[in-house]
Amino acid sequence: MSARARRIPWRAAVLGALLGALVASVVQAPARWADVALAAASDGRVRLLQPAGTLWAGSGVLRVAGDGAALTLPGRLRWTLSPDLATLGARLTLQPDAAADAPWRATLARRDGGWWLQAEPWRAQFDLAWLQALGAPWNTFGLQGRVHLALPALRWPLGAAAAAPVAPAPVTVELLDVASAVSPLRPLGSYRLTLQAAPGAAPTFELATLRGDLRLQASGGWPGGRLQLQGLAEANPDRLDALSNLLILLGRRDGARAHLRIGNPA
């Protein structure tokens, strides 16, 4: 056997070992890779703290930063990620500890000449008290209550596909039986927050009152990643004494009203 012929099996063995190591590293990819991907995609605004497990089945604490504040969601966020060979994409499930509902399921697939993120409708319930993690002024209000989140079915274009027309349904958030440490009145009321987002545009929202003695009406958005809001808070005249301190904190006082304003809305 020639020297060249003897070298070929060694080369094949080395190549096989390298491929095996590569496959093993991908299969056992640590969960911190998810944090690296989130940080890169969000310019550092979204991070996954205390990652555990693997990239394919792991958990971590989700932290979202912006406008000089950071919000750490309660409990851990658990996920599974698996390849979808039919579309050369991936399937993702997310389950927050703080939500007892079914996990959120999504797929990343290549269709219509581009990549798309598609998800099923999802509902979840949270405790409003986690807003205090944002710091001032939220911890001053000491809000309590229940949050009902409803995400519609999603078909979101990524990359080159973003030029395709998309009109996603709004996200609905209901804040039920809201109370505040600043007011003895319990509850203050219940409210609905409707959020609308579209590819290439800043998210916008509308806040309306469902019921209660403190009526809120506001609108705003996040242009440039900064919160902007304007609106009115109005107290039931029969409950004005119990709501007076809260109105002062909410904005410029005008009798039974407070003018809400954050940022510089147009």
Side-chain angles (χ1 to χ4, degrees), residues 37 56 80-93 104-112 114-120 154-161:
W56 313 104
T80 61
L81 179 65
S82 60
D84 186 349
L85 298 180
T87 62
L88 299 179
R91 296 177 180 177
L92 173 68
T93 64
W104 184 72
R105 294 183 174 88
T107 59
L108 177 64
R110 185 169 179 82
R111 293 190 177 93
D112 302 330
W115 287 96
W116 293 80
L117 177 67
Q118 300 180 95
E120 304 172 359
L154 178 69
R155 190 169 186 264
W156 194 271
L158 303 172

Side-chain angles (χ1 to χ4, degrees), residues 37-54:
L38 283 174
S42 65
D43 196 23
R45 289 178 175 267
V46 182
R47 298 298 304 269
L48 191 68
L49 310 180
Q50 304 170 26
T54 69

Side-chain angles (χ1 to χ4, degrees), residues 177-206:
D177 299 327
V178 176
S180 170
V182 181
S183 172
L185 182 62
R186 292 175 177 271
L188 302 171
S190 294
Y191 310 93
R192 176 180 291 124
L193 186 66
T194 305
L195 299 100
Q196 184 72 58
T204 61
F205 66 85
E206 298 285 339

Side-chain angles (χ1 to χ4, degrees), residues 25-259:
S25 66
V26 172
V27 171
Q28 298 299 323
R32 66 174 178 271
W33 284 19
D35 173 51
V36 173
L38 283 174
S42 65
D43 196 23
R45 289 178 175 267
V46 182
R47 298 298 304 269
L48 191 68
L49 310 180
Q50 304 170 26
T54 69
L55 178 65
W56 313 104
S59 68
V61 177
L62 193 64
R63 181 177 181 270
V64 182
D67 292 342
L71 172 64
T72 301
L73 297 186
R76 296 184 69 83
L77 177 67
R78 305 178 188 279
W79 74 83
T80 61
L81 179 65
S82 60
D84 186 349
L85 298 180
T87 62
L88 299 179
R91 296 177 180 177
L92 173 68
T93 64
L94 298 176
Q95 178 65 67
D97 282 350
D101 303 65
W104 184 72
R105 294 183 174 88
T107 59
L108 177 64
R110 185 169 179 82
R111 293 190 177 93
D112 302 330
W115 287 96
W116 293 80
L117 177 67
Q118 300 180 95
E120 304 172 359
W122 187 63
R123 292 182 177 272
Q125 299 183 36
F126 301 91
D127 190 326
L128 187 57
W130 58 261
L131 266 180
Q132 298 182 40
L134 279 173
W138 304 104
N139 54 0
T140 302
F141 292 125
L143 295 179
Q144 298 175 350
R146 294 173 290 126
V147 179
H148 287 193
L149 170 67
L151 296 181
L154 178 69
R155 190 169 186 264
W156 194 271
L158 303 172
V166 175
V171 174
T172 301
V173 182
E174 291 188 346
L175 313 174
L176 304 179
D177 299 327
V178 176
S180 170
V182 181
S183 172
L185 182 62
R186 292 175 177 271
L188 302 171
S190 294
Y191 310 93
R192 176 180 291 124
L193 186 66
T194 305
L195 299 100
Q196 184 72 58
T204 61
F205 66 85
E206 298 285 339
L207 176 65
T209 301
L210 298 174
R211 57 185 177 272
D213 292 306
L214 178 66
R215 294 182 291 276
L216 300 176
Q217 182 177 1
S219 61
W222 285 271
R226 301 192 66 83
L227 175 63
Q228 295 184 355
L229 173 149
Q230 65 178 354
L232 283 175
E234 185 173 6
N236 181 338
D238 295 335
R239 301 288 189 173
L240 184 55
D241 287 345
L243 293 169
S244 182
N245 290 338
L246 181 57
L247 288 174
I248 293 173
L249 289 175
L250 286 174
R252 180 172 59 84
R253 181 78 179 270
D254 179 15
R257 293 182 173 184
H259 296 267

